[in-house]
Amino acid sequence: MSDYIRQHAVKIDYKLGESWIILNEIEQSIKKKIETVGTPLRDWNISINYGIKTGLNEAFIISKEKRDELIKTDPKSAEIIRPILRGRDIKKNSYEFANIYVITAYKGINKIIKKEYPAIYLHLKKYEKKLRQRGQVEGKPGKPGSNQHHWTELDNNVSLEKLDDFSKPKIFWSDISTSSNFVLINDEIYINNTAYMITDIHPNAVYILNSRIMNWYFSKICSDLGNSSRYFKQYVELLPLPHNADIYNDLSSENTDSKLSAFYQFTSEEYKKIK
């Protein structure tokens, strides 16, 4: 038994704090090349954030019918109602809009909402007791809240500045998926807290994030759920993408993996391993 182990042993080099995973020699070589040449997203000058946390979806997430009703009652309501996606709606390079919307009651809106958006105020007032009982508001008897924001506002003190990020070109993805599911969206569409987004990054980065190479690498660093993976920020920000490279200029879904293979200097055997 000991002779067999000595003959088939594979040297594995791990950095402190890295996830522990067994890789053969060629897989170790691929992973090392990606990490040596690429730059982890956490070291880029970009923003990676989760979506909107309402604290009470039944109050802030509304159907198209309710949206239309609120706008008919008061046309100004349209100013703070936006389409929203859930993680399950996001697919690789696409999304399925479920005709649901979010009331973007940002931090500080309590000072004007009753006067400027009366229809929305009356809608939220129906849920006032539950909205006040949220942990970030007043809380419940025996479990006081933190009083971070007004009961008419979204959880997590969402600022107008943060909401402005949804107006930018952005890359969305679901927090749990069977494989890479990144999509570039230019329109002003929001996401809830079962999805994440990147802003201030080259739009063609979506091709790299969805590539076979990044999908392979992600499987070696993420938390596995059996038939799916956790695409949480803590893992996605570790992805080592080309930084400030000309590679982004002419990328497409068809040529990304071959260009990445050249960028990371894979051998033909290594590239074949991933394909």
Side-chain angles (χ1 to χ4, degrees), residues 16 29 44 59 78 80 90 123 143 199 207 223 240 246 255:
L16 184 64
S29 176
W44 292 40
I80 58 169
I90 298 171
H123 164 77
K143 193 176 181 181
T199 54
Y207 295 123
S223 176
D246 292 336
N255 67 16

Side-chain angles (χ1 to χ4, degrees), residues 186-242:
N186 293 308
D187 298 328
E188 189 178 357
I189 298 177
Y190 288 58
I191 49 173
N192 73 359
N193 63 325
T194 61
Y196 291 86
M197 72 175 183
I198 301 177
T199 54
D200 304 314
I201 194 171
H202 196 292
N204 284 349
V206 71
Y207 295 123
I208 296 179
L209 291 167
N210 279 329
S211 68
R212 289 192 184 96
I213 291 173
M214 278 301 120
N215 198 46
W216 179 91
Y217 182 85
F218 193 81
S219 70
K220 310 307 176 190
I221 64 168
C222 72
S223 176
D224 183 66
L225 298 174
N227 62 348
S228 59
S229 300
R230 297 182 187 273
Y231 277 76
F232 291 2
K233 174 183 177 179
Q234 69 193 76
Y235 301 119
V236 172
E237 68 180 5
L238 296 178
L239 294 175
L241 271 65

Side-chain angles (χ1 to χ4, degrees), residues 247-261:
I247 190 174
Y248 290 97
N249 295 333
D250 59 349
L251 282 183
S252 68
S253 56
E254 290 76 24
N255 67 16
T256 296
D257 278 294
S258 61
K259 286 183 173 292
L260 279 180
S261 178

